[in-house]
Amino acid sequence: MDGKHMQIGEVAARTELSLRTIRHYEETGLVVPSARSRGGFRLYTETDVARLMVIRRMKPLGFTLDQMRDLLDATDRLDADADADRLDAEDAEDVTNATDRLDADEREALLERVRTYRQAAAEQVEKLRVQLSRAEDFADTLSARLDRNAPATRV
């Protein structure tokens, strides 16, 4: 675990997500609090915050909850495998058993899933850039119209 625990209010402030949204993501299985306080309050770690930030970044790109879950599953599995690779053989047995390790085909399939999401994100970002440009043009047109029709001020 990564040290300090935060309550949901602090996590909401850091991620700029509402308490309701964070609870919804918990209900849908996208994020699970790392712990609970004795009083039953949700407690989150930096890892949980990072996960919520991934979700927050995917949302405006139009990804569905199922797509978010799929990407997070792929990255979780890749990360767990990479962590196990960094440990020596004795420590690796404590973290994961041999059946949990990814073979080359599984690893490549997961990497391909991540690549697919990266491509989809890049395409959606480009679409949003076009929309933003159109919106800025519209705002500029309105400003010019207001400037042309504003009453002249006398000195």
Side-chain angles (χ1 to χ4, degrees):
M1 196 164 348
D2 49 349
K4 179 183 176 246
H5 284 95
M6 297 164 271
Q7 289 189 1
I8 194 169
E10 183 180 347
V11 172
R14 290 192 48 202
T15 60
E16 298 178 351
L17 294 169
S18 69
L19 300 177
R20 182 177 176 182
T21 297
I22 295 170
R23 288 184 187 116
H24 174 70
Y25 290 153
E26 178 185 355
E27 290 167 8
T28 60
L30 286 173
V31 68
V32 178
S34 291
R36 293 263 181 179
S37 70
R38 289 184 186 175
F41 293 104
R42 295 165 176 86
L43 297 175
Y44 298 88
T45 62
E46 288 297 331
T47 300
D48 300 324
V49 170
R51 188 176 185 88
L52 283 165
M53 292 303 293
V54 169
I55 296 165
R56 190 182 121 200
R57 291 177 181 120
M58 291 181 78
K59 188 69 176 159
L61 296 176
F63 289 103
T64 66
L65 295 178
D66 285 338
Q67 290 171 317
M68 292 176 194
R69 190 175 296 105
D70 183 55
L71 176 64
L72 290 167
D73 173 67
T75 57
D76 287 348
R77 290 177 62 198
L78 287 166
D79 291 347
D81 195 59
D83 289 345
D85 284 344
R86 283 192 280 273
L87 299 173
D88 63 39
E90 182 180 326
D91 290 337
E93 290 176 16
D94 293 337
V95 174
T96 182
N97 63 41
T99 60
D100 291 340
R101 300 300 300 271
L102 298 175
D103 66 31
D105 290 340
E106 290 173 312
R107 183 171 190 71
E108 185 53 37
L110 291 171
L111 288 169
E112 187 56 33
R113 279 168 53 191
V114 174
R115 287 184 199 105
T116 299
Y117 284 110
R118 180 185 63 192
Q119 181 62 35
E123 290 169 7
Q124 188 59 28
V125 165
E126 188 53 38
K127 289 177 186 177
L128 289 171
R129 282 192 178 111
V130 169
Q131 290 178 349
L132 178 59
S133 176
R134 290 177 182 157
E136 289 170 336
D137 288 346
F138 175 68
D140 291 344
T141 300
L142 292 177
S143 293
R145 181 176 296 272
L146 286 171
D147 291 344
R148 280 195 314 269
N149 292 303
T153 55
R154 295 189 177 183
V155 179

